[in-house]
Amino acid sequence: QQQVKQSPQSLIVQKGGISIINCAYENTAFDYFPWYQQFPGKGPALLIAIRPDVSEKKEGRFTISFNKSAKQFSLHIMDSQPGDSATYFCAASRYNFNKFYFGSGTKLNVKP
Amino acid sequence: EAQVTQNPRYLITVTGKKLTVTCSQNMNHEYMSWYRQDPGLGLRQIYYSMNVEVTDKGDVPEGYKVSRKEKRNFPLILESPSPNQTSLYFCASSVRETQYFGPGTRLLVL
């Protein structure tokens, strides 16, 4: 049973649009929620992360929204660019960061 | 340059032939981990190591072994590979919550 559920599986967005990827979790013991970006032929790279004590975190065009009561978090990419085309993974971990649980991934295609 | 390296990058083998995928990091990280990536399943953790001689199972450890004899190295061993272990494998090292992934090893077991 997947501990973190991610949707959609794929996403097509026009250049300049907003890309939104959603994740949900069940285990309330999770307290670290990162997003990773993966380009073809490369390993995932940490993009942005959030702790459950805040509802939003913004870094440049990337924003995480976190809803603790709903056990959901989402990645928003503002002003999406063709260079953002990649696969995005959400993940969750407990405080000791030993075990990480990843979502199934979202393939984003930003059309020029 | 700070990095995680994996070898080989590509490997084709046959069922039952033991193989080792090496992983090395030059960042002096205590924590290292192995994942497999499969379409529609994301990344699933196989094993992790909190320090030298300290390892533990992740979510999908069956059919895999690991060892951590040195801080910088964390090899993944498949003693009798089977076709269901065909996958893309990633090694990662981390300091606290930030994980750094290697470039991946694509394995095909015939």
Side-chain angles (χ1 to χ4, degrees):
Chain A
Q1 183 184 354
Q2 199 143 18
Q3 299 241 9
V4 179
K5 295 183 179 177
Q6 183 173 346
S7 63
Q9 186 175 348
S10 62
L11 184 60
I12 299 174
V13 173
Q14 290 295 125
K15 179 182 174 181
I18 302 174
S19 304
I20 301 175
I21 305 170
N22 301 299
C23 285
Y25 65 97
E26 285 298 324
N27 189 344
T28 55
F30 290 149
D31 66 357
Y32 175 68
F33 302 90
W35 284 90
Y36 287 84
Q37 181 187 54
Q38 183 182 32
F39 293 106
K42 304 290 186 183
L46 180 65
L47 184 64
I48 186 173
I50 198 168
R51 298 288 179 100
D53 53 343
V54 297
S55 60
E56 187 176 281
K57 183 173 181 181
K58 184 175 181 179
E59 290 185 1
R61 296 184 293 109
F62 300 91
T63 300
I64 300 178
S65 296
F66 187 83
N67 186 329
K68 191 172 182 178
S69 60
K71 292 185 284 187
Q72 295 176 347
F73 59 110
S74 59
L75 176 69
H76 296 236
I77 306 175
M78 312 300 287
D79 186 27
S80 298
Q81 300 296 312
D84 297 330
S85 296
T87 299
Y88 293 82
F89 293 97
C90 61
S93 175
R94 295 185 63 187
Y95 71 96
N96 56 11
F97 313 117
N98 284 339
K99 298 186 80 170
F100 281 80
Y101 300 91
F102 282 75
S104 54
T106 296
K107 188 171 184 179
L108 172 65
N109 184 7
V110 181
K111 292 202 171 290
Chain B
E1 179 191 354
Q3 60 182 350
V4 178
T5 57
Q6 295 179 227
N7 282 293
R9 295 290 313 278
Y10 304 91
L11 180 59
I12 301 175
T13 189
V14 295
T15 298
K17 186 176 181 181
K18 181 179 179 179
L19 67 91
T20 300
V21 183
T22 65
C23 172
S24 183
Q25 52 96 2
N26 62 1
M27 296 171 278
N28 202 35
H29 289 165
E30 291 183 348
Y31 178 94
M32 297 184 74
S33 185
W34 275 103
Y35 295 86
R36 60 178 289 173
Q37 182 177 352
D38 301 289
L41 296 176
L43 287 94
R44 293 179 292 167
Q45 199 168 25
I46 302 171
Y47 270 95
Y48 63 93
S49 169
M50 291 157 284
N51 213 327
V52 175
E53 302 292 1
V54 182
T55 63
D56 206 350
K57 297 177 181 179
D59 262 3
V60 288
E62 296 78 19
Y64 304 93
K65 283 179 60 176
V66 293
S67 68
R68 187 94 181 271
K69 292 182 170 45
E70 305 169 280
K71 196 172 188 178
R72 63 181 292 129
N73 296 322
F74 190 42
L76 179 70
I77 303 158
L78 285 72
E79 294 213 320
S80 183
S82 63
N84 64 12
Q85 293 178 297
T86 291
S87 188
L88 178 58
Y89 291 86
F90 288 100
C91 178
S93 73
S94 65
V95 53
R96 290 283 294 169
E97 66 271 25
T98 304
Q99 290 195 96
Y100 300 87
F101 283 84
T105 294
R106 190 167 290 279
L107 172 65
L108 173 61
V109 183
L110 300 173

